[in-house]
Amino acid sequence: MIELFTAHAPELMFGSLLLFLLTGFPVAFALAACGLLFGFIGVEIGLLSPSIFQALPLRVFGIIQNDTLLAIPFFTLMGLVLERSGMAEELLDTVGQVFGPIRGGLALAVIFVGALLAATTGVVAAAVISMGLISLPIMLRYGYSPAVASGAITASGTLAQIVPPSLVLIVIADQLGRSVGDLYKGAFIPAFILIGLYVLFIIGLAIFKPAMVPALPPEARTYREPDGSSGMRSLGVFTLFVTAVSVTFGMYYSEILSAFKGTEVKAALDETIVVALTGGTLFAFVAAMVNKVTGMGLLSRITERVTFVLIPPLALIFLVLGTIFLGVATPTEGGAMGAVGGMIMAFSRGKLDMALLKHGLESTARLSCFVMFILIGSTIFSFTFTAVDGPIWVEHLFDKLPGGEIGFLVFVNTVIFFLGFFIDFFEIAFILIPLLAPVADKLGIDLVWFGVLLAMNLQTSFLTPPFGFALFYLRSVAPAKDYLDRITKKRVAGVKTMDIYRGSVPFVLMQIAMVVALIAFPGLVTFTLDKKLEVDLDTIEIKVEGSGGGDGGGWGAPQSDSWGGGAAPTEPAPGSNAPAEGGGAPAESDSAAPAGEAAPAGGNEGFGTQQRGW
């Protein structure tokens, strides 16, 4: 029995954890219990040293002192405060009025607002429930297909999993040992491509199935000018003008920066984009404010409304993500600024009171404790799992997969896809990623790209029937039975569970297509990252300047016949004992170091430098 346990301890340990999870036992305590139980058994049978658990307190303190994880409560508090301050209602109402007159406009507004909420609130449940309560009745009122309306709401709500500042990316970065800022940069382009796929799908429905996504009727458009016009022309002209200002500012940003610093500066592309967008946003806000205060009447009502509703969340996004991307602030500092910015926005709306603040702080503390307990439990589990050679077992397990790197990626994504039906992304991140990361690293997989790929996969699991969490969130607020609409006084059909399932299928397929695209084109992630400094050790040459007959301990004078251009001299320079071939050991000289002392090493930047006399 002891021999069986010794030979198969990793398998038994992992299998026991799965049994614990299937019984519904809390994940944090299941992880800790498995780790402690198998650790004590290993100590009793002599497989492990009795001192194995002495390092656990240091591990726990290390978790508590992890500054990266501070970003989780900061971003959570920011999202909860903004969600309770009524920002979602204002965004959905305003953007719905802008896109509503066109077919599929309400669905496009939901996707656009979902992306904004993802970049500010970052909480899937809050986004889905808010849009389900606000947008779903409006979409059903004006004839939208229940399946399309449900699919647009659940899919756009789950964008919080992949759009920075995502909590998923923070946890994955911590488990992979990579920078949160790098994962944010890497996820930026895939997130926007996914949003673009959603938009193309709705446009396709508007073209080929217009009855499923009708436009808002004229009587439902609330923002009108005194002459009865919609004011959309003013909005279009103002948008083009602001865009031109942003592009112009971006084109001359390097010159402006150079003049300000007094030296030639070439700004990075991501810095230029962030600064240009920020400048254009501020210009739009100032122009709308001046027009409102002076009463010039240059902008229509809808233009002013869009500006004053969209600019604050956009400014908050630039404040948080812009400072992170530019390297001005760490993700933790960006989260702190975001939390303060969210409170300022709620205060400016007159919604910041003790009730809102108490709810936000309690929910944030609850989520933070949840994450911390899971992380401590997973640390105890991985501590024992590593001691019984679990990582070696995992590595050998994946060595037997066909297809090499591609086979590993297909298997891992399939497993995570199905696990996402049953357990939360926190559990998946804390249990599986520490086991998979070493294998991926040995296969030569970029861990930043690997993390973004896993985040995209976890987002897919939120939508997949029948266990997708986003589907349950919408089901909890969607009307199940027919009801009488309070505006039109007409009877509206309820939303069946099968409608929610059918509506999610096209969006799940688009997300799976994005997972495949990330595997096929890693550059979608790595394109925005800073290039690694590659050093070829075979091409490094050390240039040694000979001494001019120094006193044995001083610095030798530089020789005029120095080694340069990568070519070594064929003969030693006169008056020196330099080697005849580059890379060889220097010959003895009168100034040689005493026996037993190590000669100082030469640097690899030998051009025009002096070396210690030998």
Side-chain angles (χ1 to χ4, degrees):
M1 189 67 179
I2 294 177
E3 289 80 3
L4 179 65
F5 180 88
T6 304
H8 300 284
E11 299 96 313
L12 293 172
M13 193 173 177
F14 198 74
S16 300
L17 175 63
L18 293 179
L19 289 177
F20 264 118
L21 296 179
L22 291 176
T23 60
F25 200 72
V27 176
F29 302 121
L31 288 165
C34 280
L36 292 174
L37 175 63
F38 279 84
F40 288 139
I41 293 175
V43 171
E44 289 297 322
I45 66 175
L47 178 63
L48 302 177
S49 170
S51 61
I52 181 174
F53 292 119
Q54 290 181 354
L56 271 181
L58 294 177
R59 290 286 187 94
V60 173
F61 278 112
I63 295 170
I64 297 173
Q65 294 172 347
N66 189 346
D67 291 339
T68 302
L69 296 178
L70 276 176
I72 293 177
F74 285 144
F75 283 123
T76 303
L77 179 61
M78 178 184 76
L80 291 172
V81 169
L82 290 176
E83 185 261 331
R84 292 290 294 266
S85 68
M87 184 185 72
E89 290 89 339
E90 290 185 355
L91 283 172
L92 286 168
D93 176 61
T94 305
V95 180
Q97 289 294 319
V98 173
F99 291 104
I102 63 176
R103 290 173 181 169
L106 287 178
L108 293 175
V110 165
I111 292 172
F112 181 70
V113 172
L116 277 178
L117 292 178
T120 51
T121 63
V123 182
V124 173
V128 173
I129 291 174
S130 297
M131 291 189 292
L133 288 172
I134 301 164
S135 295
L136 185 59
I138 299 175
M139 298 171 83
L140 296 178
R141 176 185 304 154
Y142 296 113
Y144 264 70
S145 164
V148 174
S150 302
I153 291 173
T154 53
S156 57
T158 57
L159 288 172
Q161 296 290 100
I162 191 65
V163 175
S166 164
L167 299 183
V168 181
L169 295 175
I170 296 174
V171 174
I172 291 176
D174 178 70
Q175 295 300 299
L176 290 175
R178 291 297 183 267
S179 164
V180 177
D182 283 347
L183 262 77
Y184 280 178
K185 288 182 180 180
F188 208 68
I189 290 179
F192 273 94
I193 294 176
L194 184 62
I195 295 170
L197 290 177
Y198 290 174
V199 170
L200 289 177
F201 174 70
I202 298 299
I203 292 175
L205 286 179
I207 295 174
F208 299 105
K209 297 284 185 179
M212 300 179 72
V213 286
L216 275 179
E219 61 270 15
R221 303 168 193 173
T222 56
Y223 293 99
R224 294 283 184 181
E225 295 301 296
D227 60 358
S229 62
S230 64
M232 297 300 293
R233 180 178 299 177
S234 170
L235 178 60
V237 172
F238 187 64
T239 302
L240 290 176
F241 188 68
V242 171
T243 303
V245 170
S246 298
V247 172
T248 304
F249 185 57
M251 291 174 61
Y252 292 97
Y253 174 65
S254 295
E255 286 79 356
I256 296 173
L257 200 60
S258 300
F260 179 75
K261 292 187 175 182
T263 183
E264 184 70 22
V265 177
K266 180 64 175 176
L269 178 61
D270 54 354
E271 178 181 352
T272 303
I273 292 174
V274 170
V275 173
L277 290 175
T278 304
T281 302
L282 292 177
F283 171 79
F285 186 79
V286 171
M289 184 63 71
V290 170
N291 181 80
K292 184 177 181 65
V293 171
T294 59
M296 290 188 295
L298 298 178
L299 303 179
S300 62
R301 289 183 59 206
I302 188 66
T303 303
E304 283 191 354
R305 175 70 176 176
V306 168
T307 304
F308 291 135
V309 169
L310 286 184
I311 294 304
L314 287 175
L316 186 62
I317 292 170
F318 293 147
L319 172 68
V320 175
L321 295 182
T323 53
I324 294 174
F325 287 173
L326 297 179
V328 177
T330 65
T332 302
E333 295 165 346
M337 290 191 297
V340 174
M343 291 183 187
I344 294 174
M345 287 178 58
F347 179 78
S348 65
R349 288 186 168 89
K351 299 293 182 65
L352 185 64
D353 53 18
M354 286 304 299
L356 186 149
L357 195 57
K358 181 180 177 182
H359 173 268
L361 291 174
E362 285 181 351
S363 300
T364 301
R366 191 179 301 114
L367 178 65
S368 301
C369 291
F370 168 73
V371 172
M372 193 61 63
F373 269 94
I374 292 180
L375 185 52
I376 291 174
S378 66
T379 300
I380 297 173
F381 176 83
S382 63
F383 193 75
T384 306
F385 193 71
T386 302
V388 297
D389 292 333
I392 297 176
W393 171 70
V394 174
E395 184 179 341
H396 289 169
L397 188 67
F398 286 110
D399 283 344
K400 299 176 182 178
L401 290 174
E405 179 181 327
I406 298 298
F408 168 77
L409 292 172
V410 171
F411 178 79
V412 166
N413 281 280
T414 303
V415 169
I416 289 181
F417 179 78
F418 285 106
L419 282 178
F421 296 174
F422 308 103
I423 57 178
D424 196 59
F425 69 88
F426 283 121
E427 288 92 338
I428 294 176
F430 290 138
I431 296 172
L432 288 185
I433 291 181
L435 304 179
L436 299 174
V439 180
D441 198 26
K442 285 192 174 182
L443 290 173
I445 296 174
D446 186 287
L447 292 185
V448 174
W449 169 71
F450 187 61
V452 174
L453 180 66
L454 296 184
M456 184 69 72
N457 195 335
L458 288 171
Q459 180 189 351
T460 303
S461 67
F462 265 74
L463 277 180
T464 309
F467 304 111
F469 291 123
L471 309 181
F472 290 141
Y473 298 147
L474 183 61
R475 176 71 280 173
S476 67
V477 297
K481 299 179 180 179
D482 296 357
Y483 64 97
L484 189 67
D485 185 72
R486 62 183 179 85
I487 302 295
T488 62
K489 306 302 180 183
K490 296 180 181 179
R491 183 161 293 278
V492 178
V495 179
K496 301 180 177 62
T497 302
M498 285 306 300
D499 291 332
I500 298 176
Y501 287 171
R502 286 191 296 109
S504 68
V505 170
F507 294 95
V508 170
L509 294 178
M510 283 184 270
Q511 291 184 352
I512 293 176
M514 271 305 303
V515 172
V516 175
L518 289 181
I519 295 176
F521 305 103
L524 294 175
V525 174
T526 58
F527 170 75
T528 56
L529 302 179
D530 295 332
K531 303 302 180 184
K532 293 182 178 179
L533 180 61
E534 300 290 343
V535 178
D536 187 357
L537 297 180
D538 294 333
T539 62
I540 293 178
E541 296 183 2
I542 300 176
K543 175 188 170 185
V544 180
E545 298 282 357
S547 65
D551 58 2
W555 291 95
Q559 303 298 316
S560 59
D561 192 10
S562 61
W563 298 9
T570 56
E571 294 181 2
S576 72
N577 289 314
E581 294 183 5
E588 281 191 18
S589 69
D590 294 338
S591 59
E597 289 189 13
N604 58 5
E605 299 178 2
F607 299 96
T609 61
Q610 300 180 13
Q611 299 295 333
R612 182 79 173 175
W614 293 41

